[in-house]
Amino acid sequence: MILAVYDADPVNTGEGARRLAGPLIASLLRAVSGWKPDDTVKPLVRGRPVPPHYANGYGYYPFVFKAEFVFNS
């Protein structure tokens, strides 16, 4: 899952994108962490983090979540 935000930052430091992304990241993590798609999947957990990327006013924040499927035998 990738959160993308845009801020017209004339210095291109990524600061504006980080400021915009902060509350969205918090909401995204609250909504998805522990979410259980259905009875065949255990609750989602965060995977290994991937660094964010900034380019031309855009901030890209990738998130990895792991799903474990439950199979009845």
Side-chain angles (χ1 to χ4, degrees), residues 10-30:
V11 186
N12 203 27
T13 62
E15 181 60 35
R18 283 191 292 277
R19 188 175 51 255
L20 289 172
L24 297 172
I25 290 170
S27 293
L28 182 147
L29 293 176
R30 274 193 304 273

Side-chain angles (χ1 to χ4, degrees), residues 30-53:
R30 274 193 304 273
V32 179
S33 294
W35 177 61
K36 190 173 178 191
D38 64 37
D39 291 338
T40 64
V41 182
K42 290 186 178 183
L44 298 181
V45 295
R46 293 275 311 270
R48 187 176 181 166
V50 178
H53 176 72

Side-chain angles (χ1 to χ4, degrees), residues 1-5 14 17-19 21 25 52-54 59-63:
M1 175 179 305
I2 298 174
L3 171 67
V5 296
R18 283 191 292 277
R19 188 175 51 255
I25 290 170
H53 176 72
Y54 309 100
Y60 301 96
Y61 301 86
F63 294 92

